[in-house]
Amino acid sequence: MRATWDIFCSVVDNYGDIGVTWRLARQLVAEHGLVVRLWVDDLGAFVRLCPQADAQAQRQIQQGVEVCLWAGDWQATEPADVVIEAFACELPALYISAMVQRPQKPLWLNLEYLSAEDWVAGCHGLPSLQSNGLSKFFFFPGFTMGSGGLLRERKLLAQRRAFQADESARTLFLRSIGVTPLPGARLISLFAYENAALASWLDALAADAQPNQLLVPEGRILADLQAWLGCAGLRAGDSQQCGQLHIQVLPFIQQDQYDRLLWSCDFNAVRGEDSFVRAQWAGRPMLWHIYQQTDDAHLEKLEAFLALYKEGLSADAQRALTELWQAWNTAQPVEESWNQLLQNWPEQQQHAESWCLQRASQPDLAAALVQFYLNWL
């Protein structure tokens, strides 16, 4: 009998939590043949990622995954063999009681947020004995051996390389989302939280010697974009030209389309966790807008990742990258650091691909989860 898995997701910040858990659920079904239920407390957010889904359905099958509404009035449900609470969400009390009563206790995993901090490897896989007699294990995604790895489908990099080697495929994809590449333009994607540093970057792009084509999927950054443009009501399909900068607003797109958008662009500005990881698999230079935390705890996570990512770059390239990321994440002007980054652009491009290949040599998150379960049996 195939093992059953329950993944619980509470949608906290837009689409990051559901983005990660939806990718994970699909991969566990498609590549490992598991029976997976994804419990989501906001089906409206899920439908943005999976438009064919029904926002009103209590239960539905999407791409082999049973997607269930995690309602406030929890109904009795038989627990799965493996139970994942994603990103510190709290399981329903009645569900935990059913886990305790199950003859064969389930494996209970707390899937943590992604971090490059040194302590992650030491905490990954550690158990936490609960007062009810169950054990909960901490599972940390990460960038180094000893962590839980990153979400990566088996054929992802081969698909990406084939796509990037086929200019006609790139052109057809961009046309399918309403984009016509401008001759000689640097193609850039922008997906970020609200950011006061945006204006300085747009100034630099507009004053550049090379044309820049900025593709902006609908999201939280649109208000800052509108303020810089001096307009209101930007929506999908709108475009504006300012100097050497051509801006186009895209509709909110599905995950597979977003992957191809990242593959199509020369540079990707991303946010949070899901798009951050997918940008790394694109093998292109990137800029990360980390989710802001109280007491600036997020800046420690930013520095921890930069310490890993910049290894192998020249001193000048390291400095440009570090200063750009720091300025972007502290709402400081970025013109100077952006222009410095462009001065070592070929090195940044080569390094992005090298980093991608290094991470791909490690087990992916889904495979690591399955192996952890097999070792636990």
Side-chain angles (χ1 to χ4, degrees):
M1 180 180 294
R2 293 185 294 170
T4 57
W5 291 54
D6 274 345
I7 303 174
F8 286 81
C9 173
S10 178
V11 179
V12 177
D13 176 55
N14 289 284
Y15 309 103
D17 296 342
I18 183 58
V20 172
T21 52
W22 174 228
R23 287 190 193 275
L24 173 61
R26 285 186 297 165
Q27 189 178 356
L28 289 172
V29 169
E31 297 184 5
H32 298 278
L34 302 173
V35 179
V36 180
R37 289 186 299 199
L38 175 60
W39 295 90
V40 186
D41 64 355
D42 182 356
L43 287 176
F46 174 68
V47 169
R48 295 299 301 275
L49 299 178
C50 183
Q52 63 269 33
D54 182 353
Q56 306 303 318
Q58 298 291 311
R59 295 174 182 266
Q60 58 190 300
I61 302 295
Q62 296 294 341
Q63 299 183 40
V65 177
E66 183 180 2
V67 182
C68 306
L69 175 63
W70 179 2
D73 55 338
W74 183 262
Q75 302 299 312
T77 301
E78 176 67 22
D81 299 315
V82 182
V83 180
I84 297 177
E85 53 179 26
F87 312 124
C89 68
E90 295 186 9
L91 300 181
L94 291 176
Y95 186 89
I96 295 176
S97 296
M99 291 168 64
V100 173
Q101 296 165 11
R102 198 173 187 262
Q104 175 64 44
K105 300 297 185 288
L107 172 61
W108 185 2
L109 297 170
N110 183 359
L111 180 62
E112 295 282 354
Y113 285 103
L114 176 64
S115 178
E117 293 169 290
D118 291 339
W119 56 264
V120 164
C123 295
H124 173 63
L126 291 182
S128 173
L129 182 62
Q130 307 296 296
S131 59
N132 55 22
L134 294 174
S135 288
K136 177 165 62 174
F137 294 84
F138 295 100
F139 205 93
F140 284 86
F143 303 94
T144 59
M145 296 300 292
S147 72
L150 303 171
L151 272 178
R152 184 189 74 253
E153 298 81 8
R154 287 175 185 164
K155 298 181 180 179
L156 181 68
L157 295 195
Q159 292 170 344
R160 190 262 291 177
R161 292 192 193 99
F163 180 88
Q164 290 178 336
D166 187 347
E167 187 60 31
S168 63
R170 175 177 178 268
T171 300
L172 285 173
F173 164 72
L174 290 171
R175 286 178 180 170
S176 75
I177 58 171
V179 175
T180 301
L182 301 177
R186 182 185 297 112
L187 199 60
I188 302 172
S189 75
L190 170 62
F191 187 55
Y193 304 113
E194 298 86 348
N195 195 334
L198 178 66
S200 63
W201 190 33
L202 298 178
D203 288 340
L205 294 175
D208 198 352
Q210 179 181 350
N212 292 287
Q213 189 171 4
L214 186 66
L215 305 180
V216 189
E218 289 178 310
R220 290 168 57 172
I221 196 64
L222 283 190
D224 292 325
L225 185 59
Q226 289 175 164
W228 185 80
L229 289 168
C231 68
L234 277 180
R235 57 182 60 87
D238 288 349
S239 61
Q240 297 273 356
Q241 179 81 35
C242 299
Q244 289 282 66
L245 175 60
H246 181 273
I247 300 169
Q248 183 173 347
V249 180
L250 304 181
F252 193 94
I253 56 180
Q254 297 181 54
Q255 287 181 324
D256 291 345
Q257 288 179 308
Y258 184 68
D259 283 338
R260 282 160 177 75
L261 175 64
L262 295 172
W263 301 349
S264 299
C265 289
D266 303 299
F267 185 84
N268 294 300
V270 293
R271 75 178 205 198
E273 180 170 327
D274 185 51
S275 60
F276 173 48
V277 171
R278 305 312 282 194
Q280 292 172 60
W281 298 136
R284 296 286 167 82
M286 63 180 179
L287 174 59
W288 182 29
H289 195 184
I290 189 171
Y291 183 74
Q292 186 172 356
Q293 296 177 294
T294 55
D295 300 325
D296 289 338
H298 60 291
L299 296 181
E300 295 181 13
K301 294 182 179 181
L302 181 76
E303 294 302 325
F305 178 77
L306 279 170
L308 285 178
Y309 184 78
K310 68 184 182 182
E311 290 181 3
L313 285 170
S314 66
D316 286 345
Q318 284 192 20
R319 187 179 308 110
L321 177 78
T322 300
E323 291 179 357
L324 175 64
W325 283 41
Q326 290 174 338
W328 185 246
N329 282 281
T330 55
Q332 301 299 311
V334 301
E335 298 103 320
E336 183 176 351
S337 54
W338 171 252
N339 289 325
Q340 289 174 349
L341 190 82
L342 294 180
Q343 291 176 14
N344 46 71
W345 187 252
E347 184 181 357
Q348 299 286 352
Q349 290 177 303
Q350 183 178 5
H351 182 72
E353 178 67 14
S354 176
W355 169 266
C356 171
L357 296 178
Q358 290 170 13
R359 303 288 78 74
S361 67
Q362 302 168 7
D364 68 86
L365 178 61
L369 282 163
V370 172
Q371 189 60 53
F372 191 90
Y373 170 60
L374 294 175
N375 292 343
W376 174 81
L377 286 175

